Amino acid sequence: MSIKQPQKMENCIGCKLCVLACSLAKHNTLGINTPLRIKEKNGQFFSEVDLGTCSGCGKCVQACPRNCLVITKDHES
Amino acid sequence: MNRNSHTVLHLNLENQSSEIKNHTELAEFLGGYGIGLKLLEQNLEANPLIFSIGPLTAAFPYASKTCVAAAQEQIQSSYVGGGLGAALKFAGLDALVIKGKSLAPLYILIKDQEVSFHKSAEESWKAESFLGQVSFLESAKEPLVDQYFKFSGTWLGENLASRNLKAVVVSGTKSIPIENSESYQKVFKELLSRVAEVETAAANNKSCFACPLGGEHSFEGDKFPDRSLSQFLVSCHLASKIYEDIPTVFACLNALGYSWSHEALEKLPGNAIKLREEIDNRIQVSKRETGN
């Protein structure tokens, strides 16, 4: 499994709690070098996911206070 | 990451030079306003502009503000939200000390600990900013961070304008180790569960780093009373019920590997007030000497 776009990013407030959760789950450190990235363009936040390194653990989905992220089975190979 | 040493990036706009220095003497001032004051004192004659973050920045909710301080006619300090504090933290920096004035408008790009100075072509730095996970401070009458978060007061806009400094763009890719992972996760969850104690309702505004609220007042610059512990952390003034509680702060610091005692935390605001009075006295003496 992996998180996969399109996400429900219209509710994203850019807190990046998802990125922190991803960093903790993946590296047990705090940082932004994670499979999940939250970026902003023209005042809108959007997510980018490196499907090659995302393990689909779902910690980001649990961490999001606005239920923006969706986990799917589409990435299973 | 050394908890007993602060990494400070010193920038000189006049000759466009930069230097990273490790400061062990800042440890007793913890972070934010405390280290900002100490750096002001050390560089007072050079009329510096100081940006500083705290030990909890990017690690705990409601604690990722940035303190900005200067001392020209008097000591000024202001606090701002957004992603600037977290970007500095992930760049491995605890503070910026900016000195001098540029002859031509310029912006500073900080990528981890590499610095470049650029002629101010507004669109070029904005384009670069939006492409990655960066934070930026934009000079204006009322300067903004990440095009949304405001500083309290107008002194910073005047200070940046006097230096010809148009923008500071920061991105950081370093990882911060956690000393005690189990207690960190426990304290983190506990703080998130105390969201009702933060004095703003959840809304759909842009949020500061690691704040789930996006509250109505998320863009406002903070002001703290003199004896506030929050200004050293640099946490949100709306979360003072959480971060003025010494046992809570102690637990946060302990989880990250800082060895602060309750007693030392209690003394911190008093020590900073003493330091501020010393700086104020030097400013007054200097004014008398120059006849201003």
Side-chain angles (χ1 to χ4, degrees):
Chain A
M1 289 194 294
S2 176
I3 72 165
K4 185 177 181 293
Q5 294 201 64
Q7 306 291 337
K8 296 180 287 183
M9 292 301 286
E10 64 274 17
N11 294 328
C12 179
I13 53 173
C15 69
K16 298 188 180 173
L17 281 167
C18 54
V19 177
L20 271 188
C22 182
S23 179
L24 280 169
K26 187 97 182 158
H27 308 297
N28 200 27
T29 59
L30 305 172
I32 58 168
N33 277 335
T34 55
L36 170 64
R37 297 191 168 203
I38 302 296
K39 295 185 175 181
E40 184 184 3
K41 194 167 189 177
N42 301 329
Q44 288 289 310
F45 292 104
F46 62 98
S47 64
E48 277 183 5
V49 185
D50 179 352
L51 297 176
T53 55
C54 172
S55 66
C57 72
K59 294 288 185 190
C60 56
V61 176
Q62 291 168 21
C64 178
R66 302 299 165 111
N67 300 316
C68 295
L69 302 174
V70 179
I71 198 155
T72 73
K73 290 183 179 178
D74 297 354
H75 185 62
E76 280 188 328
S77 58
Chain B
M1 183 176 158
N2 183 349
R3 268 78 180 170
N4 296 315
S5 177
H6 288 77
T7 306
V8 179
L9 174 60
H10 294 255
L11 299 154
N12 187 329
L13 303 185
E14 206 162 308
N15 57 13
Q16 299 189 6
S17 64
S18 66
E19 186 181 9
I20 297 277
K21 290 184 184 173
N22 292 314
H23 293 253
T24 53
E25 79 284 4
L26 299 178
E28 64 175 303
F29 294 95
L30 188 59
Y33 183 62
I35 65 170
L37 277 181
K38 189 64 186 171
L39 288 165
L40 272 184
E41 187 226 10
Q42 292 173 341
N43 299 279
L44 197 58
E45 280 70 27
N47 181 27
L49 177 64
I50 317 278
F51 291 76
S52 53
I53 60 171
L56 310 187
T57 301
F60 287 103
Y62 343 111
S64 292
K65 302 271 182 175
T66 304
C67 173
V68 191
Q72 207 162 358
E73 295 291 311
Q74 57 181 322
I75 296 174
Q76 302 275 12
S77 62
S78 185
Y79 301 83
V80 72
L84 184 61
L88 287 167
K89 177 74 94 175
F90 294 137
L93 298 170
D94 295 299
L96 306 177
V97 176
I98 300 175
K99 296 178 196 167
K101 298 174 183 180
S102 170
L103 288 175
L106 96 165
Y107 75 95
I108 303 171
L109 187 59
I110 301 168
K111 286 184 177 174
D112 290 326
Q113 294 180 2
E114 288 181 16
V115 180
S116 51
F117 297 86
H118 303 264
K119 284 181 187 168
S120 182
E122 196 176 11
E123 293 311 311
S124 67
W125 70 260
K126 277 191 177 171
E128 185 151 13
S129 298
F130 287 122
L131 286 175
Q133 291 179 295
V134 302
S135 181
F136 59 98
L137 160 68
E138 192 174 357
S139 177
K141 191 176 177 188
E142 288 188 311
L144 290 176
V145 163
D146 301 339
Q147 292 199 314
Y148 181 75
F149 299 92
K150 288 182 180 175
F151 294 83
S152 51
T154 55
W155 68 269
L156 181 62
E158 291 160 15
N159 193 303
L160 292 168
S162 74
R163 296 174 191 277
N164 247 334
L165 181 55
K166 293 296 178 187
V168 181
V169 184
V170 185
S171 63
T173 59
K174 293 179 186 294
S175 295
I176 313 298
I178 301 162
E179 190 75 15
N180 188 337
S181 185
E182 203 175 316
S183 69
Y184 168 79
Q185 302 217 29
K186 190 178 160 206
V187 177
F188 190 99
K189 278 181 190 163
E190 188 196 320
L191 292 185
L192 271 184
S193 74
R194 293 174 65 180
V195 68
E197 293 176 52
V198 182
E199 294 170 75
T200 185
N204 288 325
N205 298 313
K206 263 193 187 181
S207 184
C208 296
F209 190 90
C211 175
L213 281 163
E216 198 179 329
H217 301 289
S218 70
F219 67 93
E220 289 178 359
D222 298 350
K223 287 176 183 167
F224 293 107
D226 268 355
R227 292 200 165 271
S228 156
L229 190 55
S230 300
Q231 61 188 340
F232 299 86
L233 291 172
V234 188
S235 58
C236 177
H237 69 307
L238 300 169
S240 60
K241 283 182 185 165
I242 294 171
Y243 287 115
E244 292 300 319
D245 175 42
I246 286 186
T248 298
V249 175
F250 182 76
C252 292
L253 291 173
N254 192 45
L256 294 175
Y258 289 88
S259 52
W260 274 71
S261 67
H262 286 229
E263 193 188 11
L265 282 176
E266 281 172 357
K267 283 183 179 172
L268 187 55
N271 291 344
I273 287 171
K274 203 171 151 190
L275 179 58
R276 200 188 65 190
E277 286 170 356
E278 287 171 21
I279 299 170
D280 272 334
N281 287 337
R282 281 175 60 189
I283 293 171
Q284 295 312 318
V285 168
S286 171
K287 274 186 186 172
R288 280 198 295 274
E289 284 175 356
T290 56
N292 290 326

